[in-house]
Each structure stands twice: as C-alpha cells, then as structure tokens.
Amino acid sequence: MADAITRFFEDLDQQGYEPLLAKISGALRFDLHEGPQTTHWLVRIDRGSIQVSREDMEADTVVGTSPALFEELVTGRENGLAALLRGDMTVTGDARLVVQVDRIFPGSPYARGPQRYRKGVQ
C-alpha cells in the first residue's frame, strides 16, 4: 500500500517541475491517518517548481485521509474531488489549492475520452 504512495511522492519530487502547476504557488500537506499513526507528506509548489518532504510543518492547505484511499487516488482508481465531496477526505485551509493540484493525479484507467497521464502510472 505505502509503496504506491511513496513512489508517487518520490516521482513528484524527482520531477521537480510540473507545467500543469505553473500558475500555482503554495504548500499542501497530506496527512494520512491510520489509527493512532499519521504519515505526513508536504508538497511545496512555487509556480510549477515542486519540492516534497515528510515534514509535519504548517501548510496553506491540509488534506486528511486514510492511506488506503490515498493509494486509490495515486493509482487512478479513485477521484480526489469525488472523495472530498463524499466526505472521505477532509480539507483545512485553502481548498482552491486542492482543486488545482487534483490535475497531477492520474485519471481512471477505465475512463473514456481524454485521459490524464502521470509518469509511471497508466
């Protein structure tokens, strides 16, 4: 489970720049809750330049969810905005950042029409 999540964040960090986020700046922290354990991933975006760390620092937006659901998001089997609307994820801070960053997550492999592409996930 954690392998897909770790790979997603490592790929994002190694990529360094994402053109889809060229007009975005801010810090987004993902808090993955599993019982009493919380894993933190901090994504800093500065006009498309991306840095990822495991720090539990203040962020413009904090997304809380389970590792199982987040794995579904990073593999394209779940849609982040749909999960948010169902109440399966929580967002504190600037929710616009979540909507803007949603475009870097892969789309469903079963979708018809244009599909999003994410390196290493199809």
Side-chain angles (χ1 to χ4, degrees):
M1 184 182 312
D3 291 337
I5 295 170
T6 301
R7 187 170 50 249
F8 172 80
F9 284 116
E10 286 176 351
D11 286 350
L12 197 57
D13 190 46
Q14 288 176 359
Q15 185 176 351
Y17 180 79
E18 173 55 67
L20 293 173
L21 304 178
K23 296 181 180 181
I24 299 169
S25 291
L28 185 69
R29 191 179 76 222
F30 294 93
D31 290 349
L32 308 181
H33 308 288
E34 190 163 39
Q37 180 81 17
T38 300
T39 303
H40 307 281
W41 290 94
L42 182 66
V43 179
R44 290 186 184 98
I45 305 165
D46 183 16
R47 295 183 305 272
S49 294
I50 301 171
Q51 292 180 326
V52 179
S53 69
R54 302 284 301 259
E55 297 174 280
D56 180 12
M57 296 184 67
E58 191 172 321
D60 301 309
T61 305
V62 179
V63 176
T65 190
S66 70
L69 176 60
F70 201 77
E71 180 183 18
E72 297 288 308
L73 295 173
V74 301
T75 57
R77 294 188 302 253
E78 180 62 75
N79 179 281
L81 297 179
L84 182 62
L85 292 173
R86 282 195 313 269
D88 293 340
M89 294 189 334
T90 61
V91 173
T92 55
D94 187 0
R96 293 176 298 177
L97 195 54
V98 173
V99 175
Q100 294 168 324
V101 170
D102 181 63
R103 62 185 74 171
I104 66 170
F105 287 87
S108 170
Y110 308 109
R112 293 181 180 223
Q115 293 187 2
R116 297 182 221 172
Y117 172 76
R118 183 87 182 98
K119 181 178 153 188
V121 180
Q122 292 186 17

